[in-house]
Amino acid sequence: MNSNAVIAIHGGAGTILRASMSASAEADYHAALHAVLSAGQRVLADGGSALDAVSEAVRLLEDCPLFNAGRGAVYTAAGTHELDAAIMDGSTLEAGAICCVTRLRNPILAARRVLERSEHVLFTGAGAEAFAAAQGLEFVEPEYFHTEARHRQWQLARGQDRVVLDHDGATLASASSSSDDDPTPHEPIDPNRKFGTVGAVALDQHGHVAAATSTGGVTNKQVGRVGDTPLIGAGCYADDATCAVSTTGSGEMFMRMVAAYDVAAQMAYRNVSLEEAAHDVVMNRLPKIDGRGGLIAVDARGNVTLPFNTEGMYRGFARIGETPVTAIYR
Ligand code: ASP
């Protein structure tokens, strides 16, 4: 048994909205991350697989409206939601992913079924939902994904006719109003300059790693746009021989850099440590093409690294028997 078992999670990276930071919002994010880590930690402590731990962690992050995945997902240019998710098992190199789904409550569970019960790796749109329906997964009405906060972000981005990552979010956010059930103006990381994807990576007591990533994409994206999240090797990758990786950031750049796989490839071909490989991808390679964001990664020895090139990234990790560690800023 491997006593280094560990789980790490992220809830997106981005620009810190200093003017709107509030202690209670920070506490909400820390509490949410802590609860998810505790659940993942329990799976690992009970001898569960890394695959089970990352599935459960991402399912919980999808259900939490604070993050841009599942409930709380961002809006497309058409005012709809299109969700993407992927999962990979480092012990077998099996993978499953779905993209552009609109009515699946938990995209990560559909990705998991693709991994386990399909000869294919990636399903899109109507085909993905037909597959999920045949698997008995839960469907919801589109309104389920609605939150006031994301809706207002979309309206602000739409007004500028841009995807939200490009515009001055601090100005937009301060121009927006707040209400009790609306966390937007008080989020520690500027919601208009944030990549809110969620993800988890884990090493289990049997020495296996796994990774999972899920997203609503980027606000005001074109209908049919797919980012890095559901692409194996870009937004998600796992191989016991090297590491498990989940990314968040400007998806187009992560796709062009094949970012998640590059961490594993550098470990394999350059024989560098997990930390060195991840650092190179996030701090050197991605910035060359203006790639912003971060990633979380674990290796089969229990090393963990959580690098990001933005001001903040919602993140944390937990080892069996230890108090989970959560963080937002540098
Ligand atoms: N990488 C995601 C995408 O481009 C966005 C994010 O990380 O929030 O769809």
Side-chain angles (χ1 to χ4, degrees):
M1 286 298 218
N2 190 324
S3 58
N4 293 326
V6 62
I7 181 163
I9 61 173
H10 69 77
T15 304
I16 298 169
L17 187 57
R18 292 182 193 283
S20 300
M21 254 187 245
S22 84
S24 77
E26 276 186 45
D28 288 348
Y29 278 87
H30 280 293
L33 293 169
H34 192 283
V36 172
L37 284 168
S38 300
Q41 199 179 29
R42 268 196 303 278
V43 173
L44 296 175
D46 291 347
S49 67
L51 198 63
D52 282 343
V54 298
S55 300
E56 179 61 3
V58 170
R59 185 186 71 78
L60 292 170
L61 288 162
E62 286 177 341
D63 281 353
C64 176
L66 293 177
F67 303 105
N68 166 24
R71 187 157 166 255
V74 298
Y75 282 80
T76 68
T80 54
H81 297 93
E82 293 186 349
L83 313 175
D84 308 328
I87 189 164
M88 186 160 183
D89 183 347
S91 65
T92 59
L93 299 187
E94 287 175 329
I98 49 109
C99 61
C100 286
V101 295
T102 59
R103 294 187 303 123
L104 275 177
R105 172 172 170 165
N106 291 110
I108 199 62
L109 298 183
R112 172 94 187 244
R113 292 294 176 90
V114 175
L115 181 155
E116 289 175 333
R117 302 195 187 167
S118 166
E119 60 182 311
H120 305 304
V121 170
L122 173 62
F123 282 90
T124 183
E129 292 188 341
F131 173 82
Q135 295 293 321
L137 294 180
E138 183 178 351
F139 279 66
V140 290
E141 292 303 316
E143 296 74 50
Y144 167 81
F145 299 109
H146 167 86
T147 52
E148 273 309 304
R150 303 290 180 224
H151 192 255
R152 198 169 64 248
Q153 284 166 29
W154 169 56
Q155 289 178 320
L156 293 166
R158 193 164 62 141
Q160 295 210 344
D161 195 24
R162 306 186 68 174
V163 295
V164 80
L165 304 181
D166 294 332
H167 67 226
D168 184 349
T171 312
L172 289 177
S174 58
S176 63
S177 62
S178 73
S179 67
D180 283 352
D181 61 350
D182 181 354
T184 306
H186 306 296
E187 290 181 38
I189 292 181
D190 181 346
N192 296 311
R193 300 183 71 180
K194 178 182 99 177
F195 312 98
T197 294
V198 306
V201 293
L203 165 68
D204 63 30
Q205 295 195 64
H206 316 284
H208 301 306
V209 299
T213 315
S214 180
T215 192
V218 290
T219 296
N220 209 32
K221 66 185 180 182
Q222 291 294 295
V223 169
R225 176 269 189 188
V226 177
D228 58 324
T229 302
L231 301 185
I232 299 303
C236 182
Y237 192 73
D239 181 354
D240 282 359
T242 50
C243 60
V245 181
S246 172
T247 71
T248 176
S250 43
E252 282 70 11
M253 317 320 167
F254 282 68
M255 291 155 85
R256 289 160 56 196
M257 279 291 170
V258 200
Y261 178 70
D262 196 33
V263 177
Q266 290 204 32
M267 290 177 72
Y269 304 142
R270 287 213 300 134
N271 203 23
V272 295
S273 69
L274 176 78
E275 191 176 356
E276 195 177 336
H279 183 276
D280 184 57
V281 170
V282 174
M283 301 303 185
N284 300 330
R285 292 179 58 76
L286 280 164
K288 281 190 186 132
I289 57 169
D290 214 18
R292 297 185 65 245
L295 59 81
I296 56 173
V298 299
D299 68 17
R301 290 197 301 233
N303 294 304
V304 176
T305 189
L306 317 164
F308 52 97
N309 62 29
T310 48
E311 289 170 60
M313 181 167 83
Y314 298 116
R315 65 198 186 278
F317 67 93
R319 296 184 188 280
I320 293 176
E322 294 180 15
T323 307
V325 176
T326 62
I328 300 175
Y329 314 118
R330 267 185 201 292

